Protein backbone atom coordinates (compact mmCIF):
# COMPACT_ATOMS: atom_id res chain seq x y z
CA UNK A 1 0.00 0.00 0.00
CA UNK A 2 2.87 2.38 0.84
CA UNK A 3 4.46 1.81 -2.58
CA UNK A 4 1.10 2.38 -4.28
CA UNK A 5 0.62 5.63 -2.39
CA UNK A 6 4.09 6.85 -3.35
CA UNK A 7 3.40 6.01 -7.01
CA UNK A 8 0.10 7.89 -6.95
CA UNK A 9 1.72 11.01 -5.46
CA UNK A 10 4.57 10.81 -7.97
CA UNK A 11 2.23 10.73 -10.96
CA UNK A 12 -0.10 13.45 -9.67
CA UNK A 13 1.91 16.42 -11.10
CA UNK A 14 1.98 14.77 -14.54
CA UNK A 15 -1.78 14.26 -14.48
CA UNK A 16 -2.34 17.87 -13.42
CA UNK A 17 -0.09 19.16 -16.20
CA UNK A 18 -2.07 17.20 -18.81
CA UNK A 19 -5.29 18.57 -17.35
CA UNK A 20 -3.94 22.10 -17.72
CA UNK A 21 -3.09 21.46 -21.37
CA UNK A 22 -6.50 20.01 -22.24
CA UNK A 23 -9.19 22.30 -23.63
CA UNK A 24 -11.73 23.62 -21.18
CA UNK A 25 -14.92 21.63 -21.36
CA UNK A 26 -17.75 23.46 -23.03
CA UNK A 27 -20.98 24.08 -21.16
CA UNK A 28 -23.67 21.50 -21.91
CA UNK A 29 -25.46 22.43 -25.16
CA UNK A 30 -29.13 23.24 -25.15
CA UNK A 31 -31.88 21.21 -26.81
CA UNK A 32 -31.20 20.44 -30.45
CA UNK A 33 -32.97 22.09 -33.36
CA UNK A 34 -32.83 19.47 -36.13
CA UNK A 35 -33.43 20.22 -39.77
CA UNK A 36 -37.16 20.38 -40.59
CA UNK A 37 -38.26 20.44 -36.95
CA UNK A 38 -40.72 22.71 -35.12
CA UNK A 39 -39.41 23.36 -31.59
CA UNK A 40 -41.50 24.83 -28.76
CA UNK A 41 -39.33 27.36 -26.88
CA UNK A 42 -39.44 30.10 -24.22
CA UNK A 43 -37.56 33.43 -24.09
CA UNK A 44 -33.99 32.79 -22.93
CA UNK A 45 -33.83 29.19 -24.15
CA UNK A 46 -30.58 28.18 -25.85
CA UNK A 47 -30.74 25.74 -28.76
CA UNK A 48 -28.03 23.72 -30.47
CA UNK A 49 -28.02 23.49 -34.25
CA UNK A 50 -26.03 20.64 -35.79
CA UNK A 51 -25.64 19.51 -39.36
CA UNK A 52 -23.47 17.14 -41.33
CA UNK A 53 -21.05 18.70 -43.78
CA UNK A 54 -23.26 17.37 -46.58
CA UNK A 55 -26.24 19.35 -45.23
CA UNK A 56 -24.52 22.65 -44.41
CA UNK A 57 -21.41 24.69 -45.14
CA UNK A 58 -18.68 25.86 -42.80
CA UNK A 59 -19.45 29.29 -41.25
CA UNK A 60 -22.99 29.28 -42.68
CA UNK A 61 -25.30 31.56 -40.68
CA UNK A 62 -28.30 30.26 -38.71
CA UNK A 63 -30.76 33.07 -38.01
CA UNK A 64 -34.34 33.86 -37.01
CA UNK A 65 -36.34 36.94 -35.96
CA UNK A 66 -36.76 35.14 -32.62
CA UNK A 67 -33.01 34.92 -31.87
CA UNK A 68 -30.85 37.25 -29.82
CA UNK A 69 -28.21 36.95 -32.55
CA UNK A 70 -27.40 34.72 -35.48
CA UNK A 71 -25.07 31.77 -35.01
CA UNK A 72 -22.27 30.58 -37.30
CA UNK A 73 -21.74 26.89 -37.97
CA UNK A 74 -18.27 25.85 -36.78
CA UNK A 75 -16.56 22.50 -37.18
CA UNK A 76 -16.82 20.12 -34.25
CA UNK A 77 -15.93 16.91 -36.06
CA UNK A 78 -17.94 15.06 -37.24
CA UNK A 79 -20.60 17.83 -37.41
CA UNK A 80 -20.96 21.55 -37.97
CA UNK A 81 -22.61 23.19 -34.99
CA UNK A 82 -23.62 26.45 -33.33
CA UNK A 83 -25.85 27.64 -30.49
CA UNK A 84 -28.58 30.28 -30.63
CA UNK A 85 -30.68 31.89 -27.90
CA UNK A 86 -34.33 32.97 -27.99
CA UNK A 87 -34.67 36.73 -27.45
CA UNK A 88 -36.26 37.94 -24.22
CA UNK A 89 -38.64 40.24 -26.11
CA UNK A 90 -39.72 37.62 -28.67
CA UNK A 91 -43.50 37.66 -28.83
CA UNK A 92 -45.55 34.45 -28.88
CA UNK A 93 -45.79 32.88 -32.32
CA UNK A 94 -44.04 30.68 -34.84
CA UNK A 95 -40.85 31.97 -36.46
CA UNK A 96 -38.76 30.57 -39.34
CA UNK A 97 -35.15 29.56 -38.78
CA UNK A 98 -33.03 30.04 -41.89
CA UNK A 99 -29.57 29.05 -43.01
CA UNK A 100 -27.55 31.36 -45.24
CA UNK A 101 -24.22 30.41 -46.79
CA UNK A 102 -21.03 32.08 -45.56
CA UNK A 103 -20.70 34.04 -48.79
CA UNK A 104 -24.40 34.87 -49.22
CA UNK A 105 -24.90 38.57 -48.55
CA UNK A 106 -27.12 39.99 -51.28
CA UNK A 107 -30.94 40.17 -51.22
CA UNK A 108 -31.15 37.92 -54.29
CA UNK A 109 -29.63 35.03 -52.40
CA UNK A 110 -32.60 33.47 -50.67
CA UNK A 111 -31.83 31.78 -47.34
CA UNK A 112 -32.57 28.10 -46.91
CA UNK A 113 -35.41 27.19 -44.53
CA UNK A 114 -33.87 25.11 -41.74
CA UNK A 115 -36.59 24.75 -39.07
CA UNK A 116 -39.18 26.67 -37.06
CA UNK A 117 -39.43 27.76 -33.42
CA UNK A 118 -42.72 28.30 -31.65
CA UNK A 119 -42.26 30.89 -28.88
CA UNK A 120 -44.56 30.30 -25.92
CA UNK A 121 -46.15 33.14 -23.91
CA UNK A 122 -44.09 34.59 -21.03
CA UNK A 123 -45.07 37.06 -18.27
CA UNK A 124 -43.07 40.07 -17.09
CA UNK A 125 -41.27 38.10 -14.38
CA UNK A 126 -40.16 35.44 -16.86
CA UNK A 127 -38.88 38.05 -19.29
CA UNK A 128 -36.98 39.79 -16.47
CA UNK A 129 -35.36 36.48 -15.51
CA UNK A 130 -34.57 35.96 -19.19
CA UNK A 131 -32.67 39.25 -19.42
CA UNK A 132 -30.63 38.35 -16.34
CA UNK A 133 -29.82 34.91 -17.79
CA UNK A 134 -28.91 36.18 -21.26
CA UNK A 135 -26.67 38.87 -19.78
CA UNK A 136 -24.56 36.16 -18.13
CA UNK A 137 -24.19 33.92 -21.17
CA UNK A 138 -20.56 33.26 -22.19
CA UNK A 139 -19.36 34.49 -25.60
CA UNK A 140 -19.67 32.06 -28.51
CA UNK A 141 -17.11 29.27 -28.46
CA UNK A 142 -14.65 29.82 -31.32
CA UNK A 143 -12.33 26.84 -30.87
CA UNK A 144 -12.99 24.11 -33.43
CA UNK A 145 -12.28 20.40 -33.71
CA UNK A 146 -11.38 19.11 -37.17
CA UNK A 147 -10.83 15.49 -38.19
CA UNK A 148 -7.33 14.34 -37.15
CA UNK A 149 -6.54 13.16 -40.69
CA UNK A 150 -6.96 16.71 -42.07
CA UNK A 151 -3.87 18.88 -42.46
CA UNK A 152 -3.32 21.65 -39.91
CA UNK A 153 -4.59 24.34 -39.83
CA UNK A 154 -7.96 24.13 -41.55
CA UNK A 155 -9.02 27.46 -40.01
CA UNK A 156 -7.69 30.11 -37.64
CA UNK A 157 -9.46 28.31 -34.77
CA UNK A 158 -8.49 24.75 -35.71
CA UNK A 159 -6.70 24.20 -32.39
CA UNK A 160 -4.67 20.97 -32.52
CA UNK A 161 -2.66 19.68 -29.57
CA UNK A 162 1.08 19.06 -29.98
CA UNK A 163 3.69 18.04 -27.44
CA UNK A 164 6.38 20.59 -26.62
CA UNK A 165 9.60 19.78 -28.44
CA UNK A 166 7.89 17.95 -31.30
CA UNK A 167 8.43 18.75 -34.98
CA UNK A 168 5.24 19.72 -36.81
CA UNK A 169 4.12 20.39 -40.37
CA UNK A 170 2.07 23.46 -41.27
CA UNK A 171 -0.06 23.47 -44.43
CA UNK A 172 -1.60 26.38 -46.32
CA UNK A 173 -4.18 25.51 -48.99
CA UNK A 174 -5.18 29.06 -49.98
CA UNK A 175 -2.09 30.92 -51.19
CA UNK A 176 -1.05 29.41 -54.49
CA UNK A 177 1.87 31.23 -56.05
CA UNK A 178 3.22 32.59 -52.73
CA UNK A 179 6.26 30.32 -52.51
CA UNK A 180 8.69 31.86 -50.01
CA UNK A 181 6.58 34.98 -49.45
CA UNK A 182 4.89 34.01 -46.17
CA UNK A 183 6.71 33.75 -42.83
CA UNK A 184 5.01 32.33 -39.74
CA UNK A 185 5.83 33.56 -36.25
CA UNK A 186 4.82 32.15 -32.87
CA UNK A 187 6.22 32.09 -29.34
CA UNK A 188 5.82 28.30 -29.53
CA UNK A 189 8.26 27.99 -32.49
CA UNK A 190 12.02 27.65 -32.23
CA UNK A 191 12.39 29.48 -35.56
CA UNK A 192 10.47 31.45 -38.19
CA UNK A 193 9.27 28.90 -40.77
CA UNK A 194 8.62 30.03 -44.36
CA UNK A 195 5.80 28.48 -46.41
CA UNK A 196 7.10 26.83 -49.56
CA UNK A 197 5.46 25.14 -52.51
CA UNK A 198 5.31 25.42 -56.29
CA UNK A 199 1.69 24.24 -56.53
CA UNK A 200 -1.55 25.05 -54.73
CA UNK A 201 -0.37 23.70 -51.37
CA UNK A 202 2.31 25.45 -49.34
CA UNK A 203 4.00 23.73 -46.39
CA UNK A 204 6.54 24.48 -43.70
CA UNK A 205 8.04 22.52 -40.82
CA UNK A 206 9.18 23.79 -37.44
CA UNK A 207 10.07 22.52 -33.99
CA UNK A 208 8.13 23.55 -30.90
CA UNK A 209 10.10 24.90 -27.98
CA UNK A 210 10.50 22.55 -25.04
CA UNK A 211 10.11 25.30 -22.44
CA UNK A 212 6.70 26.52 -23.66
CA UNK A 213 4.15 26.31 -20.86
CA UNK A 214 1.03 24.25 -21.64
CA UNK A 215 -1.68 26.38 -23.25
CA UNK A 216 -2.88 27.92 -26.52
CA UNK A 217 -0.41 29.81 -28.72
CA UNK A 218 -1.17 32.09 -31.68
CA UNK A 219 0.61 31.79 -35.02
CA UNK A 220 1.02 35.09 -36.88
CA UNK A 221 1.39 35.35 -40.63
CA UNK A 222 3.70 37.87 -42.30
CA UNK A 223 3.23 38.23 -46.06
CA UNK A 224 5.81 40.34 -47.87
CA UNK A 225 3.30 41.07 -50.66
CA UNK A 226 0.45 42.27 -48.42
CA UNK A 227 0.05 45.38 -46.33
CA UNK A 228 -1.18 45.00 -42.78
CA UNK A 229 0.21 41.49 -42.44
CA UNK A 230 0.99 40.06 -39.02
CA UNK A 231 -2.58 39.10 -38.12
CA UNK A 232 -3.39 35.89 -36.21
CA UNK A 233 -3.48 33.05 -38.72
CA UNK A 234 -3.66 29.85 -36.67
CA UNK A 235 -3.66 28.56 -33.10
CA UNK A 236 -2.25 25.46 -31.44
CA UNK A 237 -2.29 23.93 -28.00
CA UNK A 238 0.97 22.87 -26.33
CA UNK A 239 0.98 19.76 -24.16
CA UNK A 240 3.83 19.14 -21.66
CA UNK A 241 7.13 18.04 -23.14
CA UNK A 242 8.17 14.43 -23.01
CA UNK A 243 11.61 13.07 -22.25
CA UNK A 244 12.58 12.42 -25.85
CA UNK A 245 15.71 13.30 -27.77
CA UNK A 246 14.30 16.53 -29.26
CA UNK A 247 14.09 18.32 -25.92
CA UNK A 248 17.44 16.90 -24.82
CA UNK A 249 19.01 18.30 -28.01
CA UNK A 250 17.33 21.68 -27.46
CA UNK A 251 18.65 21.87 -23.91
CA UNK A 252 22.13 20.82 -25.03
CA UNK A 253 22.10 23.59 -27.68
CA UNK A 254 21.02 26.15 -25.05
CA UNK A 255 23.74 24.99 -22.65
CA UNK A 256 26.33 25.19 -25.42
CA UNK A 257 25.20 28.70 -26.39
CA UNK A 258 25.30 29.79 -22.75
CA UNK A 259 28.80 28.31 -22.35
CA UNK A 260 29.93 30.10 -25.52
CA UNK A 261 28.60 33.40 -24.21
CA UNK A 262 30.42 32.80 -20.92
CA UNK A 263 33.66 32.07 -22.81
CA UNK A 264 33.27 35.23 -24.88
CA UNK A 265 32.71 37.32 -21.76
CA UNK A 266 35.71 35.69 -20.09
CA UNK A 267 37.96 36.31 -23.09
CA UNK A 268 36.70 39.87 -23.36
CA UNK A 269 37.33 40.48 -19.67
CA UNK A 270 40.82 38.97 -20.00
CA UNK A 271 41.53 41.20 -22.97
CA UNK A 272 40.47 44.27 -21.03
CA UNK A 273 42.74 43.32 -18.13
CA UNK A 274 45.69 42.73 -20.47
CA UNK A 275 45.08 46.05 -22.19
CA UNK A 276 44.88 47.81 -18.85
CA UNK A 277 48.10 46.16 -17.68
CA UNK A 278 49.87 47.14 -20.90
CA UNK A 279 48.65 50.72 -20.59
CA UNK A 280 49.84 50.89 -17.00
CA UNK A 281 53.26 49.55 -18.04
CA UNK A 282 53.56 52.12 -20.79
CA UNK A 283 52.57 54.87 -18.37
CA UNK A 284 55.23 53.77 -15.88
CA UNK A 285 57.85 53.62 -18.64
CA UNK A 286 56.96 57.10 -19.83
CA UNK A 287 57.11 58.49 -16.28
CA UNK A 288 60.48 56.81 -15.76
CA UNK A 289 61.90 58.38 -18.92
CA UNK A 290 60.69 61.82 -17.89
CA UNK A 291 62.33 61.36 -14.47
CA UNK A 292 65.68 60.35 -15.97
CA UNK A 293 65.53 63.19 -18.45
CA UNK A 294 64.98 65.66 -15.64
Amino acid sequence: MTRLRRTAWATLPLLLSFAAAAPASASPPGPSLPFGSVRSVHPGDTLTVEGAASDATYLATIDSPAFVAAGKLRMMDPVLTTTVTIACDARPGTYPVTRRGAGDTGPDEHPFRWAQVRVEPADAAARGACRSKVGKLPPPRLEERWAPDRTWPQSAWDVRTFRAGSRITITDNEDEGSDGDITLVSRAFTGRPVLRGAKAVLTATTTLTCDSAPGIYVVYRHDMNRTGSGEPWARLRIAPAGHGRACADQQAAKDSAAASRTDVVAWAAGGVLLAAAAAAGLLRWANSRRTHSA
Side-chain angles (χ1 to χ4, degrees):
M1 180 63 71
T2 302
R3 180 181 299 176
L4 180 61
R5 188 180 295 112
R6 284 200 301 266
T7 302
W9 279 107
T11 57
L12 181 59
L14 182 60
L15 294 175
L16 291 177
S17 65
F18 273 104
S25 58
S27 57
S32 64
L33 184 63
F35 169 69
S37 64
V38 180
R39 168 72 68 177
S40 179
V41 296
H42 296 84
D45 284 352
T46 296
L47 305 173
T48 297
V49 179
E50 290 185 350
S54 57
D55 298 329
T57 56
Y58 176 65
L59 293 184
T61 300
I62 302 293
D63 201 5
S64 172
F67 293 167
V68 171
K72 286 190 175 182
L73 290 173
R74 292 188 171 274
M75 178 61 74
M76 291 298 288
D77 181 63
V79 298
L80 296 166
T81 183
T82 188
T83 57
V84 290
T85 302
I86 304 301
C88 298
D89 58 357
R91 310 314 302 176
T94 300
Y95 297 83
V97 176
T98 57
R99 187 197 72 204
R100 184 183 289 273
D104 297 346
T105 56
D108 295 335
E109 296 167 311
H110 299 291
F112 178 79
R113 178 72 66 90
W114 178 265
Q116 297 181 79
V117 290
R118 186 171 58 246
V119 179
E120 302 294 342
D123 57 21
R127 295 185 185 278
C130 170
R131 283 186 280 273
S132 177
K133 173 185 175 182
V134 170
K136 298 175 182 177
L137 289 175
R141 180 179 174 84
L142 300 179
E143 186 175 331
E144 299 168 352
R145 182 180 67 240
W146 291 75
D149 60 347
R150 302 289 295 273
T151 57
W152 177 80
Q154 292 292 316
S155 75
W157 284 97
D158 174 14
V159 182
R160 310 283 179 100
T161 299
F162 302 101
R163 190 176 293 280
S166 60
R167 190 158 184 81
I168 64 172
T169 298
I170 308 162
T171 304
D172 181 0
N173 298 304
E174 300 180 355
D175 291 287
E176 182 177 4
S178 297
D179 177 33
D181 295 338
I182 301 171
T183 303
L184 303 177
V185 179
S186 175
R187 291 190 299 113
F189 296 168
T190 55
R192 296 166 64 96
V194 177
L195 289 169
R196 298 277 184 186
K199 297 183 179 180
V201 178
L202 306 178
T203 61
T205 57
T206 189
T207 302
L208 303 178
T209 59
C210 291
D211 54 2
S212 294
I216 292 181
Y217 291 79
V218 180
V219 178
Y220 298 91
R221 161 201 172 106
H222 294 269
D223 191 336
M224 63 183 298
N225 295 321
R226 288 176 53 188
T227 58
S229 65
E231 69 273 12
W233 182 73
R235 290 164 178 83
L236 69 152
R237 178 177 285 102
I238 295 288
H243 301 286
R245 171 111 184 225
C247 283
D249 290 345
Q250 275 192 39
Q251 189 59 48
K254 286 184 179 181
D255 293 342
S256 176
S260 297
R261 286 194 296 271
T262 301
D263 291 343
V264 169
V265 171
W267 278 103
V272 170
L273 291 175
L274 287 173
L282 287 172
L283 183 60
R284 285 196 299 271
W285 178 76
N287 289 335
S288 175
R289 291 205 43 153
R290 283 197 295 270
T291 301
H292 289 306
S293 299

